[in-house]
Amino acid sequence: QLQLQESGPGLVKPSGTLSLTCTVSGGSVNTYNWSWIRQSPGKGLEWIGYIFYTGSTNHNPSLNSRVTISVDTSKNQLSLTLNSVTTADTAVYYCASLGGLWQLPDIWGQGTIVIVS
Amino acid sequence: EIMMTQSPVTLSVSPGERATLSCRASQSVSSDLAWFQQKPGQAPRLLIYGASTRATAIPARFSGSGSGTEFTLTISSLQSEDFAVYYCQQYNNWPRTFGHGTKVEIK
């Protein structure tokens, strides 16, 4: 059974860089497609981006290319980097595997809260 | 970006009663519509995709309908574990977008 666990600094200063990892167990990171989704009181649930096992990535245009999503097969981890953060980036960040024909988030991590202050 | 609007914001229902939740898209998303359930302190869980297909292990009391811009999630007989927030999400266009949710609470 695939299990995901997000981790990273809970507090980031404005204009700094948010870096999160998602540790995958029960499966190999390079055989699945992955997503990052965040949730804030103001904006609700928001797709950040995704990465396919082929290496293809895409991110939400609203994030103005501040986003980098990658995988580290040696550590079996997924990573998210978000540059130039502001208080609007304060949220709970989730990683999720994408499943089925339509690549929907079907297995989620528990989420990690990041506060920009 | 496609805007998803859910109504009502809060729905008060007694256990055993039927709950009907609505979701409207700002433009047609065909049947590329999913529903998620989220309980406090937990990640969302996929319930429905393709507007009407239940995900793995989702009970039959959950059903979805609609296409184009108007969608409905129906819970036929609410159980205690169904009191939660429900979100619709379109996956017809990128970026995929969620509605702001309907909270189903105990009446």
Side-chain angles (χ1 to χ4, degrees), chain B residues 31-74:
Chain B
S31 294
D32 298 335
L33 191 284
W35 289 93
F36 293 81
Q37 176 195 65
Q38 187 176 33
K39 297 179 181 179
Q42 297 184 17
R45 176 176 72 144
L46 179 64
L47 295 178
I48 300 279
Y49 62 92
S52 62
T53 303
R54 283 188 303 277
T56 303
I58 300 304
R61 63 181 181 272
F62 291 92
S63 63
S65 63
S67 66
T69 62
E70 301 284 343
F71 301 90
T72 300
L73 174 69
T74 301

Side-chain angles (χ1 to χ4, degrees), chain A residues 1 5 39-42 44 56 63 65 70 80 82 90-91 102 105 117:
Chain A
Q1 175 75 349
Q5 177 68 61
Q39 185 172 30
S40 63
S56 172
L63 296 171
S65 301
S70 62
L80 170 69
L82 183 64
T90 293
W102 301 111
S117 178

Side-chain angles (χ1 to χ4, degrees), chain A residues 6-13 17-21 80 89 91 93 112-116:
Chain A
E6 304 89 347
S7 60
L11 183 64
V12 181
K13 294 185 184 300
T17 297
L18 181 161
S19 295
L20 298 176
T21 59
L80 170 69
D89 295 310
Y93 285 76
T112 188
I113 188 163
V114 177
I115 297 172
V116 178

Side-chain angles (χ1 to χ4, degrees), chain A residues 39 47 59 94 102-103, chain B residues 38 49 87 89 94 96 98:
Chain A
Q39 185 172 30
W47 275 75
H59 65 268
Y94 296 100
W102 301 111
Q103 295 295 286
Chain B
Q38 187 176 33
Y49 62 92
Y87 297 94
Q89 182 228 283
W94 182 257
R96 295 177 171 185
F98 289 90

Side-chain angles (χ1 to χ4, degrees), chain B residues 2-98:
Chain B
I2 296 177
M3 303 296 292
M4 306 301 292
T5 303
Q6 292 186 242
S7 62
V9 173
T10 304
L11 185 62
S12 298
V13 186
S14 300
E17 288 189 341
R18 182 186 196 92
T20 303
L21 290 66
S22 296
C23 174
R24 174 177 292 177
S26 60
Q27 65 188 70
S28 177
V29 297
S30 186
S31 294
D32 298 335
L33 191 284
W35 289 93
F36 293 81
Q37 176 195 65
Q38 187 176 33
K39 297 179 181 179
Q42 297 184 17
R45 176 176 72 144
L46 179 64
L47 295 178
I48 300 279
Y49 62 92
S52 62
T53 303
R54 283 188 303 277
T56 303
I58 300 304
R61 63 181 181 272
F62 291 92
S63 63
S65 63
S67 66
T69 62
E70 301 284 343
F71 301 90
T72 300
L73 174 69
T74 301
I75 311 170
S76 60
S77 176
L78 272 157
Q79 306 299 302
S80 58
E81 61 267 29
D82 301 335
F83 292 96
V85 181
Y86 293 83
Y87 297 94
C88 60
Q89 182 228 283
Q90 65 81 20
Y91 51 95
N92 185 265
N93 273 29
W94 182 257
R96 295 177 171 185
T97 47
F98 289 90

